[in-house]
Structure formats: C-alpha cells, structure tokens
Amino acid sequence: MNIDQTPSKLETVRHSFAHVLAQAVLRLFPDAKMGIGPAIEDGFYYDFEFSEAISKETLPQIEAEMKNIIAEELSFKQILIPREQAFDTLLHLGQIYKTELLQQVPDESISFYKTGEEFIDLCRGPHVNDTGQLKIFKLVSIQSTHWLGDESRPAMQRIRGVAFEKKNELEAWLKSEEEKKLRDHRVLGKSLNIFYDDKIQGHGMPVLLHNGTILKKNLRTWFENMLIKNDYQLITSSEFIKETTLHTNRYLDYNRFAFLPQFQVGSDLYRLRIDPISQIGNIFRQKKRSYKELPLRISEFASCYSNVDEKELHGLIKCRHFTRDSHTSFVSKEQTIPEVRRIISLMVDVVKRFDLHDYRFVIGTPKYSATDNYLGNEQDWRDAMYIIEKSLSESKILARPQEGEAQFNGPTLQIRARDIFKRDWKIAELVVDLTTQKISNNRFINSENEEEIPIAIHHSFIGSLERFIGILIEQYAGAFPAWMAPTQVYIIPISSKHLSYSKQVLERLETLGIRAKLDARDETMQAKIREAGLQKIPYMLIIGDKEEKTQSVSVRPRSGQDLGLMRTEEFADIVFSER
C-alpha cells in the first residue's frame, strides 16, 4: 500500500519557521551548534548547543531577529552537494552534530536548503518560497534536552515555537495555554487541599493532604473492586528487596539507574523497589502450581521509589515516591492471546471511565541501535511481538509501533490518551514477558503432567495512583465526578436556627455512605456558596425554613441549576446513580 507522506501546507510552513529560528540563533550566537529542527504539532522546535546556556528571557530577542529575517523575504533554495563535499561543508561551518546525521543518509547526492546567502542547513525540505510567506508565530519555551534525546550524549537546549495560518488560531492557542496554567495540578493541588511537595522533608516525595488521601482511597477502592471482580488476587509486599534478588532476576543489569542507592539491614544489602514484579513472581513459586490454576492473576498497589533526576520532578506526575498499580497474569501458551485481549478490554474500560476518550494504541519496540539494553533472545522477542499483534488483530484494534518504548524484558502495548488540551499521556501498559520466568525458574505442571514455563503478562491500568490523580486534577480542573470527589455534598444552613436540622441531614447522609460536610460558620449563605464553588464540591444542599418544615433539602449541583426540593433519601439516590 502506498502512503502519501507529502507534508501539508501548514507542516511546510512550520518546518520553514524552524530554519528561520536556526538562522536567527546563529546571527545572535555564531558559535551555536545546531541539532535537529522539525515541524511538530502546533509548531516547530530546534535543538542547539550553546557555549553558555541561554534563558527564557532571550526568547524575545530571538523572536525579533526572526521577524527581521521574515521582513527580508529571503528565498529558500534547495541545493544538492556530493556526499564528501557535504561533510566538508558541515565541518567548515562547525556543525559537528549535522555530520553525525549525514552519516545516516545513504544518498550520494545530499540535499541542503539555503535561506538567502548566509544560512544553509542539511534538509530534504520542502519549504515555502521565501521567508516573507511566514507570518503568524510565537516562541514559547526553552528547555533542557540532550543530543538525540540520549542522556549520555551532550546537553542541548530546545527552543520551541508555535505557528498557525490565522491570527485567531494563535490567540486561541495562547488562551488554551493560560487555561492550562489555571488547571496546573500543582496549583489546584494546593488550593483544593490535595497535596503539597514538602521540599524540607524530601523534594519529589509529595505529601497527600486530607482531600488527596480520600481521593486516592476512592480510586484505589474502585480499582480493587474491579480487580476482584476480574479474578485478581490482591497482595501486599515489602517496599525493599534484597540486592541478590535484583541481580538474579537481572533488574540491576537493565534498570540500575532507576534505583535509589543500596542500604544494609543486618548482613544483607537491600534496595527500595521500583516495582513489585519480582515479589509477584516469588508468590508464583510459593507452591507447586497446576495448569488448572491458570490464568493466575496477582495484583498489588505497591509503594515504590525511583531515582528521578531533580529537573524532571513535576508534582504528582513525576515524583520519587509513588504507588504503582502492578499486575501480572501467569498463563500457559494457549491462554496468552485470550488473556492479552481480556487485559486490553479492561484498559479501554478504564480510559473511558475517566473520560479520556481520545486514545490510541502504541506497540513499544526495542531501540534497535541499543540491543544490549534488552533481555532474552531474538526468538522470544519475535514470539512476544506476535502475541501482541495477534491479540490486536483479533480485537480489531489498530496500533502503531514506536521504537524505544519496549521494556527490558519484552515489547509493550500502551494506551496513550489525550486530555482536553490534547496533551499525550501514557495511561496503561502491558508487557509480554517470555524471558524472566525462565531466569526465575518458574514452572507449572501442564495437562500432560510435565513441567512447563509460564508466560508472564505484566500490566498496569494507570501507572501509579499519584500520577493518575495529577492527570485527573488537570483533566477535570479539580471538579471531580461525584463518586470520586473527596467531599460529595456541602450542607449550607441559611442561618444558625437551621443548624440542628442540618446536622440531622449530615448524619443521615453519612449513614448512607455519602461524604458530606456541614458549613456551620457564622457567614452569609452567599459566602458559603462561594466557598463550595471554590472547593468544586459536586452538590450543595441549602437548608432554611421551607426545607426544615417539609423535612427535605434544596439541591444545587455544581453546574448552578436548581433541582428544587427533595427528600434526603431521594437526593442520595442521585449521588449513588453516578457511581
């Protein structure tokens, strides 16, 4: 099948902006070294190595120079240079990173693009005719990165911009970015009493406050009920593991930098775990297993730790201490594809349950230039890939491969979902593991009364509870669905004389299992309503003379509409119906 890979007009414009950005940077910083500069969704970026790092305050200066280049209406011209001469050209320009890219180009005649007479870049194109055709853009950020995204390679800085066809599209994008700031889970986490990052006690180990603890409990309860319904066995295991165990199951060979430093207890060395998979594997070995027990599904919400770099820490979404949802299905060969299909179905149910309807599937393959980073032999990896692809085919699901997204012990299948701002999140993931069960010497007795190695399907539905809470805070802007919200109902007596009946309503709701709060402050009703709105509580119950006389409540949802008078039990049914 032929696929048209011709870039759209807007992609061409954005790619051309990337060249103008590079030209502006070299005018201002002649010794800068260029990395890569593609068009991306919403805009473009270019990576640079500077002799001294620049700050965000430099962006207006670079943007002004870009506008100068646009005003000059410089033409974009493609030129073809013989391969050896192309190396000489790049070396003469001092663009050493471009020479590395050139080594990956098989052509003997190499495509460059010139902008005017002063700027030339290794590029296949296409581009607009001249810089005067580039109109609506803005530089928006500068971030730390590494050459080709590899942390072992030189540090670089990525300058990112956005570009659109119409001015109102840029204005809408900027407005959306402002709304993102208002939805920032770190800001809302503080104002809604959900969490704070205690940098005195330990940066990257956020403390869940009362509302955050209730929110986590509600989510965990929902997931545990789902798991039990689907025949998972729940366990709780230790947060640290013997160093010898991590060597035996090869975790330290492939994930050493993810672990925090070792420590000693008695005569043994330990590490804080990054996941409970080896402990789940040990449970399989606790007794002789029969094929009649399979699939055996074991699950833990495990307290874990990861050695996250300081600059990558980001509230609940990227932290050093978190509660990982980790599940492993042990299956026989003939059970593997049905089990993967079952897990996929549950993954889809989860993203839909939490209103993440814009999702896609990704197959995580190894980074083929770094095959030493992966455990097992080639046949195991081919078989594991077949299992994933066959499961998707039978489920009538399309997925795109993504190099470098495999785990060390097997290829992955991921669900990536976009929130209302089109930000991409990896929500769920499964790994088909045909390698570690051999190393761990896990066996079961099959129907022929012979020992057989099980296949392990490691999976998670949300990654971690804390990270998922961070994502949901931003997705819902703190206005959680009633079943999930830390406080579901806010009871507002109009005056102090209505306090006694309001307490009766509170007790009745609590008896029914509804999380309610009574505002008994000596404040006006309007002040109390405003407080409920700020706390984004799903329902307000207004109680005055009429309500007390009729033994009812006046119901106002967070949306602002008035549902009128109803009995307490009738209102409780509305809350329960949202579960």
Side-chain angles (χ1 to χ4, degrees):
M1 180 175 67
N2 294 321
I3 299 174
D4 184 9
Q5 296 183 329
T6 304
S8 68
K9 177 183 175 183
L10 187 53
E11 287 174 310
T12 300
V13 165
R14 288 169 172 165
H15 188 192
S16 301
F17 267 119
H19 276 234
V20 172
L21 167 59
Q23 185 173 358
V25 166
L26 289 180
R27 280 187 179 183
L28 297 169
F29 305 94
D31 59 346
K33 302 292 187 290
M34 296 188 295
I36 58 174
I40 57 173
E41 185 174 7
D42 292 335
F44 56 95
Y45 72 78
Y46 221 113
D47 293 344
F48 300 94
E49 181 185 67
F50 295 97
S51 55
E52 291 186 15
I54 65 172
S55 67
K56 190 174 181 179
E57 284 66 38
T58 314
L59 292 185
Q61 184 183 3
I62 298 172
E63 190 174 297
E65 192 58 46
M66 289 178 68
K67 290 177 180 177
N68 289 338
I69 293 169
I70 290 168
E72 293 169 21
E73 298 185 356
L74 303 176
S75 61
F76 285 94
K77 291 182 181 178
Q78 183 182 31
I79 59 172
L80 300 175
I81 301 177
R83 186 176 184 81
E84 288 305 316
Q85 186 181 334
F87 275 105
D88 292 341
T89 299
L90 292 171
L91 288 170
H92 175 73
L93 293 170
Q95 297 299 339
I96 56 173
Y97 296 108
K98 293 291 185 179
T99 62
E100 183 176 337
L101 294 179
L102 180 55
Q103 291 172 8
Q104 301 171 23
V105 179
D107 308 336
E108 287 304 315
S109 185
I110 307 301
S111 174
F112 284 76
Y113 267 84
K114 290 185 71 177
T115 313
E117 296 301 320
E118 69 180 86
F119 179 76
I120 187 170
D121 196 3
L122 177 69
C123 178
R124 291 185 182 275
H127 288 283
V128 297
N129 292 329
D130 63 72
T131 60
Q133 294 180 261
L134 305 175
K135 303 292 183 184
I136 300 161
F137 81 102
K138 186 172 182 60
L139 297 185
V140 294
S141 67
I142 181 164
Q143 299 172 318
S144 297
T145 186
H146 291 269
W147 172 232
L148 298 180
D150 186 341
E151 291 188 3
S152 66
R153 307 297 298 275
M156 305 188 90
Q157 289 185 282
R158 174 169 297 173
I159 300 176
R160 178 173 163 247
V162 292
F164 299 93
E165 291 180 326
K166 299 176 181 178
K167 187 177 180 180
N168 64 347
E169 292 173 334
L170 174 59
E171 291 170 350
W173 187 91
L174 292 171
K175 183 179 179 181
S176 172
E177 289 299 297
E178 285 302 311
E179 191 173 342
K180 282 182 193 176
K181 293 177 184 177
L182 296 176
R183 285 176 178 254
D184 189 320
H185 80 284
R186 294 166 298 180
V187 175
L188 287 172
K190 183 178 181 180
S191 65
L192 298 178
N193 197 38
I194 293 174
F195 81 99
Y196 81 106
D197 193 359
D198 189 348
K199 296 182 181 179
I200 296 174
Q201 296 295 328
H203 188 29
M205 298 188 183
V207 176
L208 288 180
L209 301 170
H210 175 75
N211 285 346
T213 300
I214 300 301
L215 190 57
K216 180 178 177 180
K217 176 179 176 290
N218 295 341
L219 284 170
R220 180 166 177 163
T221 298
W222 184 87
F223 276 105
E224 287 180 340
N225 289 339
M226 179 197 76
L227 292 166
I228 292 168
K229 183 180 177 182
N230 284 277
D231 199 29
Y232 284 82
Q233 298 180 20
L234 306 183
I235 67 160
T236 303
S237 60
S238 170
E239 294 179 29
F240 42 98
I241 308 174
K242 279 186 178 181
E243 180 108 347
T244 51
T245 301
L246 293 171
H247 279 297
T248 300
N249 61 28
R250 306 292 297 278
Y251 257 63
L252 283 180
D253 294 348
Y254 296 94
N255 289 296
R256 178 176 294 275
F257 296 111
F259 284 91
L260 291 166
Q262 62 186 204
F263 58 94
Q264 187 165 345
V265 178
S267 59
D268 293 315
L269 292 174
Y270 290 84
R271 300 261 185 170
L272 288 166
R273 65 184 174 187
I274 58 175
D275 66 49
I277 287 176
S278 64
Q279 288 143 311
I280 289 174
N282 286 342
I283 287 174
F284 188 90
R285 290 194 297 280
Q286 289 306 300
K287 64 175 187 176
K288 201 169 188 178
R289 300 286 182 182
S290 163
Y291 73 96
K292 295 178 181 179
E293 297 178 71
L294 305 186
L296 177 62
R297 304 174 183 123
I298 300 175
S299 171
E300 180 173 9
F301 284 90
S303 188
C304 296
Y305 298 82
S306 182
N307 188 22
V308 180
D309 188 272
E310 187 86 14
K311 63 178 178 290
E312 294 181 3
L313 295 172
H314 187 72
L316 293 175
I317 289 172
K318 192 76 169 178
C319 48
R320 290 175 175 143
H321 174 227
F322 53 94
T323 307
R324 187 186 294 278
D325 80 303
S326 187
H327 326 283
T328 298
S329 295
F330 297 95
V331 295
S332 61
K333 289 179 182 177
E334 61 271 16
Q335 293 171 331
T336 307
I337 290 173
E339 183 68 5
V340 170
R341 290 186 61 188
R342 185 195 65 82
I343 295 167
I344 291 171
S345 178
L346 285 178
M347 288 176 166
V348 171
D349 288 345
V350 167
V351 293
K352 288 181 177 179
R353 170 69 174 178
F354 294 96
D355 300 313
L356 296 165
H357 299 289
D358 183 6
Y359 63 89
R360 60 192 172 91
F361 286 88
V362 170
I363 300 174
T365 63
K367 190 173 184 179
Y368 295 107
S369 61
T371 53
D372 290 345
N373 293 344
Y374 304 97
L375 180 65
N377 59 53
E378 224 174 286
Q379 187 60 50
D380 283 342
W381 280 79
R382 280 199 294 267
D383 291 345
M385 281 295 295
Y386 171 80
I387 290 166
I388 290 175
E389 290 170 350
K390 181 68 172 173
S391 301
L392 288 169
S393 175
E394 290 186 5
S395 301
K396 295 181 171 55
I397 292 172
L398 298 177
R400 289 187 177 182
Q402 190 161 332
E403 185 179 346
E405 286 291 315
Q407 297 289 354
F408 82 96
N409 53 350
T412 66
L413 178 65
Q414 303 170 5
I415 287 187
R416 292 183 172 271
R418 289 184 168 190
D419 63 18
I420 60 169
F421 292 113
K422 304 301 181 184
R423 293 172 298 186
D424 192 61
W425 303 102
K426 183 174 77 173
I427 303 296
E429 181 177 58
L430 69 81
V431 183
V432 176
D433 176 4
L434 302 182
T435 59
T436 60
Q437 301 311 296
K438 297 176 185 177
I439 294 169
S440 300
N441 201 31
N442 276 353
R443 300 288 189 274
F444 69 94
I445 304 302
N446 64 22
S447 59
E448 303 298 321
N449 205 32
E450 297 173 343
E451 285 194 341
E452 186 175 322
I453 300 169
I455 293 172
I457 307 167
H458 312 297
H459 51 289
S460 68
F461 296 106
I462 55 173
S464 87
L465 282 167
E466 288 78 8
R467 173 180 168 273
F468 198 56
I469 288 170
I471 291 171
L472 293 181
I473 290 171
E474 297 185 353
Q475 171 72 358
Y476 293 124
F480 303 106
W483 72 267
M484 190 194 313
T487 300
Q488 296 171 299
V489 180
Y490 202 70
I491 302 170
I492 301 174
I494 293 176
S495 72
S496 59
K497 69 178 182 178
H498 306 115
L499 198 53
S500 177
Y501 176 61
S502 296
K503 288 179 180 178
Q504 293 177 35
V505 172
L506 174 65
E507 290 172 5
R508 182 61 184 146
L509 291 174
E510 289 176 338
T511 300
L512 292 169
I514 290 174
R515 298 181 296 279
K517 181 177 180 181
L518 170 61
D519 190 338
R521 297 176 302 157
D522 185 18
E523 294 284 355
T524 65
M525 185 179 73
Q526 286 72 24
K528 294 177 182 181
I529 290 173
R530 185 164 57 251
E531 178 65 19
L534 290 172
Q535 293 301 308
K536 301 180 184 289
I537 294 171
Y539 290 99
M540 290 177 280
L541 300 184
I542 311 299
I543 294 177
D545 292 337
K546 179 173 57 175
E547 288 78 16
E548 186 168 356
K549 184 177 180 180
T550 58
Q551 292 292 287
S552 60
V553 291
S554 286
V555 181
R556 293 190 187 182
R558 184 168 48 203
S559 60
Q561 65 188 116
D562 188 347
L563 298 184
L565 286 173
M566 60 182 73
R567 294 174 61 250
T568 305
E569 288 75 10
E570 185 183 357
F571 164 69
D573 288 340
I574 293 175
V575 178
F576 291 137
S577 70
E578 296 190 23
R579 294 185 177 181

